[in-house]
Amino acid sequence: MNKIVLLLFIFISSSLMAQKRSSNDNFIVQIKKATGDLNKDNLDDLVIVTQDTIDKKAPYKLSVFFAHPNGAFKEIISTTKAIDPQYPEGKDGYYNGQSFYDIAIEKGILTIKNELTRGNFEHKFRYQNTNFELIGFSETYSDGQGTMGTVDFNLSTGIRVSTTERYDDSDEKPTRSQKKILIRPLPKLQHFTPFTTEFY
């Protein structure tokens, strides 16, 4: 009886380890890479986006590595939530009109860039309070019917500015609205999923 229980335990453990290993190891296609100092130690850190091309949704994984003086890198964050999969509903499913296209590190800010069918949007993260926190969201879009809009949301200050403008021959005047929306605590990169709220 004890041998059966032991064999069953070994089988289950092996299966779980194999599943875990295969789910992690499938993110082997490197899509984008960016370097730059994220934690103000004068060392170039590393951010890599990899993709699981075996999964029918083709999800992305974003990994952040801090550099050490000896040239080594230590993984700080690894998340599959921050970037939507290439095919959220599978390759034959509904296309939601947005797609990942780049990452960048500029002045210590990590930016995740996405394209829309008619426009683009960005999420900006800064390393502060021992976490990567969302400090900015911006979007430029068109409704395809003569109107272009922009959103610029500074989450640090809470100031969110929205504009709309006609790009056809309409005499309609541009609009601009400003609101103060404080989001506290600021969203952390390891838990972040885009567009889970109406604001970002």
Side-chain angles (χ1 to χ4, degrees):
M1 184 67 177
N2 287 340
K3 287 183 178 179
I4 294 173
V5 172
L6 181 61
L7 287 171
L8 186 61
F9 174 75
I10 291 171
F11 174 75
I12 293 172
S13 298
S14 299
S15 298
L16 289 173
M17 286 178 67
Q19 288 175 12
K20 184 177 181 182
R21 199 165 41 241
S22 65
S23 66
N24 289 335
D25 291 348
N26 288 341
F27 288 93
I28 57 174
V29 178
Q30 182 175 304
I31 303 300
K32 293 288 182 179
K33 179 173 75 171
T35 59
D37 186 6
L38 291 166
N39 57 350
K40 299 179 181 178
D41 62 357
N42 296 316
L43 296 173
D44 277 349
D45 304 305
L46 176 64
V47 180
I48 298 175
V49 175
T50 52
Q51 188 174 32
D52 177 353
T53 56
I54 297 172
D55 189 297
K56 64 180 181 180
K57 294 185 177 182
Y60 297 99
K61 180 168 69 173
L62 184 145
S63 303
V64 180
F65 301 85
F66 279 172
H68 288 257
N70 64 1
F73 288 88
K74 181 180 179 181
E75 186 176 270
I76 302 300
I77 289 176
S78 178
T79 176
T80 57
K81 298 177 181 178
I83 302 172
D84 281 343
Q86 185 174 1
Y87 308 107
E89 304 298 327
K91 290 185 178 180
D92 299 323
Y94 171 75
Y95 174 58
N96 65 5
Q98 62 189 53
S99 57
F100 166 74
Y101 79 92
D102 205 4
I103 51 172
I105 299 173
E106 297 174 3
K107 297 181 180 179
I109 306 297
L110 169 60
T111 304
I112 303 173
K113 303 181 180 185
N114 292 268
E115 292 181 331
L116 295 167
T117 302
R118 299 183 186 90
N120 59 77
F121 64 91
E122 299 180 350
H123 291 96
K124 297 184 177 184
F125 294 85
R126 180 167 56 210
Y127 185 71
Q128 55 190 28
N129 304 317
T130 69
N131 276 291
F132 281 92
E133 296 182 331
L134 180 65
I135 61 163
F137 167 73
S138 61
E139 181 180 16
T140 300
Y141 63 90
S142 167
D143 63 2
Q145 299 176 11
T147 299
M148 184 176 75
T150 66
V151 175
D152 186 12
F153 187 14
N154 184 328
L155 279 82
S156 296
T157 62
I159 301 300
R160 188 175 192 270
V161 178
S162 301
T163 68
T164 62
E165 183 177 356
R166 299 291 300 187
Y167 58 83
D168 55 14
D169 294 330
S170 171
D171 293 330
E172 188 177 324
K173 292 183 179 180
T175 66
R176 183 182 187 277
S177 65
Q178 179 174 311
K179 295 180 181 178
K180 186 159 187 176
I181 305 166
L182 282 178
I183 308 291
R184 298 293 184 270
L186 292 172
K188 295 176 176 57
L189 178 56
Q190 62 266 35
H191 307 303
F192 172 76
T193 302
F195 297 115
T196 50
T197 80
E198 61 180 299
F199 302 120
Y200 53 82

